Amino acid sequence: MRFEVQVEVRLREGIADPQGQTIERSLPHLGFGGVSGVRVGKSIRFTLDAASEEQARAEVADMCTRFLTNPVIEDSAVSIEAVDAAGVA
Amino acid sequence: MRFEVQVEVRLREGIADPQGQTIERSLPHLGFGGVSGVRVGKSIRFTLDAASEEQARAEVADMCTRFLTNPVIEDSAVSIEAVDAAGVA
């Protein structure tokens, strides 16, 4: 089976986010008000071939812990969607 | 009204993604098979105070075009969710 996977990698709460702070400080100068709490993370998308959704989820969880995130400062949110071989959901 | 906003910034199709290619090449060496088409984007989250959902959407769309993305090589997907003042959806 084929799956479309999205992994969102976010800095944990309390970890400083200088990129987010820079965006937040810049927006008012560009005329955008009312914005607070800007946090910048990564969005990693890929296609995964696996025997079952269960196996796909286990593989992605393992990938996140061992490779895609730094678990000390980051956590991740995973979304997995089965698609047919032609890539249509 | 208060909104939780997520902007996913993605490289457009056909634009080279060296970071994604590096991840894709590394995964098999770590024992993760079946992964293809890795693309790395940004996930920007923030809180926005706006008069209405319509105004919030317009402001975020404008922000994406003028500041958060480079429209030549990137596009964006926006999700907006209204929350009460305490921050609960």
Side-chain angles (χ1 to χ4, degrees):
Chain A
M1 294 175 74
R2 176 159 286 189
F3 301 89
E4 289 297 333
V5 181
Q6 185 195 9
V7 177
E8 184 186 1
V9 180
R10 299 177 292 210
L11 287 168
R12 288 185 189 278
E13 247 180 89
I15 302 291
D17 183 349
Q19 201 179 355
Q21 285 164 8
T22 303
I23 292 175
E24 193 164 330
R25 274 197 309 265
S26 303
L27 284 169
H29 300 293
L30 292 159
F32 298 109
V35 176
S36 59
V38 181
R39 305 287 281 175
V40 180
K42 274 179 284 192
S43 169
I44 305 169
R45 287 182 180 271
F46 54 88
T47 304
L48 176 64
D49 291 309
S52 66
E53 179 162 342
E54 199 176 41
Q55 196 197 304
R57 286 194 183 277
E59 184 168 345
V60 173
D62 199 18
M63 242 182 244
C64 285
T65 314
R66 287 179 51 202
F67 184 58
L68 297 177
T69 72
N70 174 346
V72 178
I73 59 166
E74 294 170 333
D75 64 9
S76 57
V78 173
S79 95
I80 292 184
E81 196 178 359
V83 293
D84 67 23
V88 180
Chain B
M1 291 175 75
R2 174 159 288 190
F3 301 90
E4 289 298 333
V5 181
Q6 185 196 6
V7 177
E8 184 186 1
V9 180
R10 298 178 292 211
L11 287 169
R12 288 185 189 278
E13 245 179 90
I15 302 290
D17 182 350
Q19 201 179 354
Q21 285 164 7
T22 302
I23 291 175
E24 194 165 327
R25 274 198 308 265
S26 302
L27 284 169
H29 299 294
L30 291 160
F32 298 108
V35 176
S36 60
V38 181
R39 306 287 282 173
V40 180
K42 273 179 284 192
S43 168
I44 304 169
R45 289 183 179 269
F46 55 88
T47 304
L48 176 64
D49 291 307
S52 66
E53 179 161 343
E54 199 176 41
Q55 198 196 302
R57 286 194 183 277
E59 184 168 347
V60 173
D62 199 18
M63 241 181 246
C64 285
T65 313
R66 287 179 51 203
F67 183 58
L68 296 178
T69 72
N70 174 347
V72 177
I73 58 165
E74 294 169 333
D75 65 8
S76 57
V78 173
S79 96
I80 291 185
E81 195 179 359
V83 293
D84 66 25
V88 181

